[in-house]
Amino acid sequence: MNIKQIGIIIYVTVLAFSVLYSPQPILPTLIREFHITSSQAALLTSVTMIPLSFSPIFFGFILESFTAKKLLRLALLGLTVTELGIYMVSSFKIFLLLRFLQGFMLPAILTSIMTYISVGSEKGLIQKIMSIYIASTILGGFLGRFVSGGISHYFGWRYSFLVLFISLVISLVLTFFLESDSKLKKSKFIFSDALKLIKTPPYVNMYITIFCTFFTFASMLNFLPFRLTEISSAIDEFQIGMIYSGYIMGILVSLTSPKIIKLLGSEKRAILTGLAVFLFSIPLFSLYSIKLLFFSMFIFCAGMFTVHSVESGYLNKIARNNKGVVNGVYVSAYYTGGVLGTYFPGFIYKAFGWNFFLAALSFVIISGILSILLINSSSL
């Protein structure tokens, strides 16, 4: 892959994740705008992740016989149209429906990009390019929240979606400059072989771990705005968006993940180190200080994205066949955790309080650590 292709992929990835997470810092504003409860507002993230939890597998199957570039362009077109619809929406139910539809476009984009990288890169460079991709997802998650919060605060919440719509139109134009992947070698897809592949270690262990990791991550980031308003009723959308600055640490960690693996000696040790940091950071969110929560986010993101960048790169390095399926299942496991994490822990938060909420998330991460520990060291 050349610099031009990588640049386009980075831009599209940043936009995709900006679309996914842009509503989060403005959830308190949307509660007032549409006269809804906090649980209903949280659904704006959850409903988008529902299709993300199962459709990546379907798109993975498609990519065994369909070009990644074509699927990417079609999904971007759909995402662009729905983003314009959100800018114009006047009903919360229609808002939810459009977010749900976006949940089908986003996995097509992400699975296409991961597969495009995997089949279009030399084996020795896959980990490096995948690290750049993960860094782009982090940047998109941060900018989606930060810019959305800022635009909403100064110009109104609708304009954050208008800016994303214009940016998506530009991304559609840029995809015409991507090289076609139609001549890239694809393996013959056999369902039974693919199913056997994803059920065996270390694949299944890493799928379980990334499920647990993103469950915790998505839950924390989705309910944190409500915790912040508990601590300070005067906090605004821009200040909430600033809390996500910890994403910057995730970008640094992702870009240096090959060096982290080399330093620690193996992918398994790198993943376990990331999980340990992630687990350690969770109790820090019990502190009753917005400033301390701001710094806790840096540690939290460092742990999360160490796990994510190392796992995604390693899976694509060891997968010789059915790369679309391997990536599709990974994205599916990732966002299944996101769907459940952005909704169900909210009941614990509401019934038992913030500290019990944090304890539940810690238990989930411990489960992910046990899954990695069960992997034979020779396999990872």
Side-chain angles (χ1 to χ4, degrees):
M1 296 182 67
N2 58 40
I3 297 298
K4 181 180 74 175
Q5 290 174 285
I6 293 173
I8 294 171
I9 286 172
I10 289 172
Y11 180 78
V12 173
T13 303
V14 167
L15 273 182
F17 277 81
S18 294
V19 168
L20 179 59
Y21 294 117
S22 58
Q24 283 187 341
I26 62 174
L27 291 181
T29 300
L30 295 176
I31 288 173
R32 296 190 296 270
E33 174 76 15
F34 291 102
H35 307 290
I36 55 176
T37 66
S38 60
S39 296
Q40 290 174 311
L43 283 173
L44 286 172
T45 303
S46 300
V47 297
T48 310
M49 289 187 179
I50 290 173
L52 273 161
S53 67
F54 62 85
S55 57
I57 302 176
F58 170 72
F59 291 122
F61 293 159
I62 289 178
L63 286 168
E64 294 299 326
S65 55
F66 198 73
T67 68
K69 180 181 176 180
K70 287 182 180 179
L71 182 59
L72 176 62
R73 287 172 62 185
L74 286 172
L76 274 174
L77 177 61
L79 192 64
T80 303
V81 172
T82 54
E83 198 67 12
L84 178 61
I86 290 174
Y87 165 69
M88 301 170 64
V89 75
S90 58
S91 163
F92 183 71
K93 289 183 179 179
I94 300 300
F95 199 157
L96 277 179
L97 175 61
L98 290 171
R99 288 288 292 174
F100 179 70
L101 292 176
Q102 287 185 335
F104 287 97
M105 311 303 167
L106 290 168
I109 292 170
L110 304 182
T111 308
S112 295
I113 288 174
M114 290 181 74
T115 304
Y116 191 89
I117 292 170
S118 182
V119 298
S121 306
E122 295 180 13
K123 187 174 182 179
L125 295 176
I126 288 178
Q127 180 73 60
K128 182 177 180 180
I129 297 177
M130 195 60 70
S131 296
I132 294 172
Y133 163 73
I134 297 299
S136 303
T137 69
I138 300 166
L139 180 61
F142 169 65
L143 289 178
R145 295 173 172 103
F146 178 75
V147 175
S148 174
I151 293 175
S152 177
H153 178 69
Y154 289 106
F155 302 101
W157 68 268
R158 291 184 186 276
Y159 286 94
S160 61
F161 296 102
L162 179 62
V163 169
L164 280 171
F165 163 72
I166 295 169
S167 302
L168 284 166
V169 172
I170 295 171
S171 74
L172 272 171
V173 175
L174 289 176
T175 56
F176 283 91
F177 297 95
L178 278 176
E179 292 182 9
S180 175
D181 58 321
S182 59
K183 294 181 180 179
L184 295 171
K185 184 179 179 181
K186 297 180 183 290
S187 58
K188 182 180 179 181
F189 175 70
I190 302 174
F191 182 80
S192 59
D193 289 347
L195 187 61
K196 182 180 178 181
L197 174 72
I198 62 178
K199 287 173 64 178
T200 55
Y203 294 97
V204 65
N205 302 77
M206 288 194 281
Y207 291 146
I208 291 171
T209 298
I210 202 60
F211 166 88
C212 294
T213 304
F214 195 60
F215 179 102
T216 303
F217 187 75
S219 184
M220 183 72 79
L221 270 59
N222 208 46
F223 292 102
L224 187 58
F226 303 118
R227 174 60 174 175
L228 294 173
T229 56
E230 282 183 0
I231 296 173
S232 172
S233 59
I235 194 168
D236 58 42
E237 302 99 318
F238 180 72
Q239 291 171 320
I240 292 174
M242 281 293 294
I243 290 292
Y244 298 106
S245 297
Y247 260 63
I248 297 169
M249 182 60 74
I251 296 172
L252 177 63
V253 167
S254 296
L255 292 175
T256 57
S257 62
K259 293 182 179 179
I260 293 173
I261 295 168
K262 186 177 180 180
L263 177 66
L264 295 175
S266 70
E267 282 88 352
K268 181 176 181 179
R269 290 179 182 175
I271 293 169
L272 286 172
T273 300
L275 288 168
V277 172
F278 198 48
L279 180 62
F280 168 78
S281 69
I282 293 174
L284 299 177
F285 286 91
S286 64
L287 300 170
Y288 202 82
S289 165
I290 290 178
K291 289 182 180 179
L292 292 176
L293 292 181
F294 175 85
F295 290 109
S296 298
M297 185 64 73
F298 283 83
I299 303 172
F300 188 68
C301 290
M304 156 63 189
F305 290 111
T306 296
V307 178
H308 185 24
S309 59
V310 174
E311 280 204 8
S312 58
Y314 185 73
L315 280 172
N316 279 280
K317 186 172 73 175
I318 64 174
R320 294 183 178 87
N321 300 308
N322 302 123
K323 290 178 180 287
V325 177
V326 169
N327 284 308
V329 176
Y330 181 84
V331 175
S332 181
Y334 188 88
Y335 285 106
T336 299
V339 170
L340 301 179
T342 55
Y343 190 67
F344 289 105
F347 293 106
I348 297 175
Y349 180 20
K350 185 176 181 180
F352 303 104
W354 183 252
N355 288 335
F356 276 92
F357 169 82
L358 297 179
L361 296 188
S362 298
F363 176 78
V364 174
I365 285 301
I366 290 171
S367 300
I369 291 173
L370 292 174
S371 180
I372 291 297
L373 287 172
L374 291 173
I375 299 177
N376 188 316
S377 295
S378 61
S379 300
L380 185 57

